[in-house]
Amino acid sequence: MHPVLCSSARLELRELTAEDVDGVFAIYGSSEATEHLSFEPRSHEQVGQIVTRAVASATAVPRTEYALAVTDRASGRLCGFGRLALDPHQPSGATIGFALNSDWWGAGYGTETVRLLLHLGFDHLLLHRVWGARSPANSASARVMTAVGMVEEGTIREHVRKGGRWRDSVVHAILDREWAAVSAGPVCLSAGRASGPGEQ
């Protein structure tokens, strides 16, 4: 499906453009925003490469990755980065990831972002299962995933190596029928039709 354009009360989920590099760098280049992510802060050049790859992958057929900008509807500013990637090892499954600019922390924007990503995954891509992993120390992410109906399933031991040390990851997941019971119904507009997993 391309292009993606989904909105909730305060946020919009849209395709990344070349003009978003600085906004993404404010997140991925920040030691605070990446503290619990699986990688060290990125350079501006590295973020530019990430955005370039995301723009190119958006029109791939079949599309397997949705790397998207999260913007504040009131100001138009990019406040987050969301990713939904189809899982090649699990039919009708995908992994989810998100990160917010620290200026938007603590006001429910993370929960709103994940709901938009799940809406895209279940209501438009017709997925069966979406899962994500977090750092055990990231209690804010745990609260977000619980709030949207994701279930904590267990721990992947020493799953991530960062800062010269191995770190566990805690897995949360939600199924299509579970999402149907809790979804709030954000608005999602797209030039494409609703597509099954692996379709554009």
Side-chain angles (χ1 to χ4, degrees):
M1 188 171 73
H2 181 271
V4 167
L5 181 61
C6 300
S7 61
S8 58
R10 299 177 295 177
L11 299 179
E12 186 172 88
L13 196 65
R14 63 161 174 80
E15 302 289 353
L16 283 164
T17 71
E19 288 72 41
D20 291 322
V21 173
D22 288 344
V24 177
F25 179 66
I27 303 167
Y28 277 8
S30 163
S31 57
E32 184 179 22
T34 59
E35 177 184 2
H36 297 298
L37 300 184
S38 61
F39 53 84
E40 303 290 350
R42 306 295 199 194
S43 68
H44 194 275
E45 181 181 2
Q46 288 172 322
V47 170
Q49 293 169 352
I50 290 168
V51 171
T52 297
R53 286 196 301 269
V55 171
S57 70
T59 54
V61 180
R63 186 173 187 178
T64 59
E65 180 180 31
Y66 294 80
L68 303 164
V70 182
T71 61
D72 174 58
R73 292 181 66 185
S75 67
R77 287 181 60 195
L78 189 149
C79 59
F81 182 93
R83 182 174 181 268
L84 190 72
L86 301 185
D87 188 339
H89 305 294
Q90 180 186 345
S92 300
T95 58
I96 194 173
F98 71 101
L100 294 181
N101 184 310
S102 58
D103 291 346
W104 273 268
W105 287 4
Y109 288 98
T111 301
E112 216 164 305
T113 295
V114 174
R115 282 195 176 117
L116 282 170
L117 289 167
L118 293 177
H119 172 67
L120 171 64
F122 288 119
D123 299 331
H124 285 265
L125 302 180
L126 309 180
L127 298 176
H128 172 63
R129 182 177 186 270
V130 175
W131 69 277
R134 64 171 175 87
S135 162
N138 194 346
S139 57
S141 183
R143 288 193 296 272
V144 164
M145 289 193 279
T146 299
V148 301
M150 299 180 78
V151 176
E152 185 176 319
E153 292 187 331
T155 299
I156 306 174
R157 296 182 302 154
E158 299 189 0
H159 176 232
V160 170
R161 187 167 177 82
K162 183 177 180 181
R165 301 177 61 183
W166 288 104
R167 191 205 77 195
D168 295 347
S169 292
V170 180
V171 173
H172 295 249
I174 184 170
L175 305 176
D176 51 2
R177 62 181 178 273
E178 295 168 338
W179 170 250
V182 300
S183 62
V187 176
C188 192
L189 306 173
S190 173
R193 63 181 177 84
S195 306
E199 297 183 62
Q200 181 181 359

